[in-house]
Amino acid sequence: MRTGSEPSTARSALRARFWLSVWGLSWAAFGTAAFALAGRTGWAAACGALWLVATVDLAVILRHLRQGPHYQPGRDIPPYPPPEDGPPYPRPPRHRPPGGGPYQGRPGPRHP
């Protein structure tokens, strides 16, 4: 059940994701360089792929941070009004097959 105060009490973890992405980016770059110097091309390629993923993630995070309150609402954004007493549309009736249940076969043996 919504209380209506979610936008003012919820906080996005974009800043934490930013710093974790910077941390992962630096370790991926270090791993790529270290494995390339050690002659381990497979591990260097794996770290290079991770470096690419961390770079894309960092770009997405920076884009969301620059978009402002739409992705990270501040305390000045008012909450949504609380919902009304029922769902916004009538609930469909539940249809049951004749006989009470979905399985119409013979009941199996009962164990004591």
Side-chain angles (χ1 to χ4, degrees), residues 4-96:
S5 65
E6 285 85 1
S8 63
T9 57
R11 293 290 173 246
S12 175
L14 284 177
R15 296 204 191 282
R17 270 185 64 195
F18 170 77
W19 288 112
L20 286 172
S21 183
V22 167
W23 180 257
L25 187 73
S26 62
W27 273 106
F30 172 74
T32 303
F35 283 124
L37 290 175
R40 303 282 186 153
T41 56
W43 284 103
C47 285
L50 187 61
W51 189 1
L52 180 66
V53 169
T55 303
V56 170
D57 185 41
L58 187 63
V60 169
I61 292 167
L62 288 174
R63 179 175 173 256
H64 286 184
L65 281 172
R66 287 187 183 135
Q67 284 182 341
H70 176 70
Y71 282 99
Q72 199 159 17
R75 296 195 183 274
D76 56 337
I77 306 294
Y80 294 125
E84 298 298 322
D85 285 342
Y89 50 87
R91 221 169 224 208
R94 297 178 93 186
H95 297 289
R96 294 191 179 247

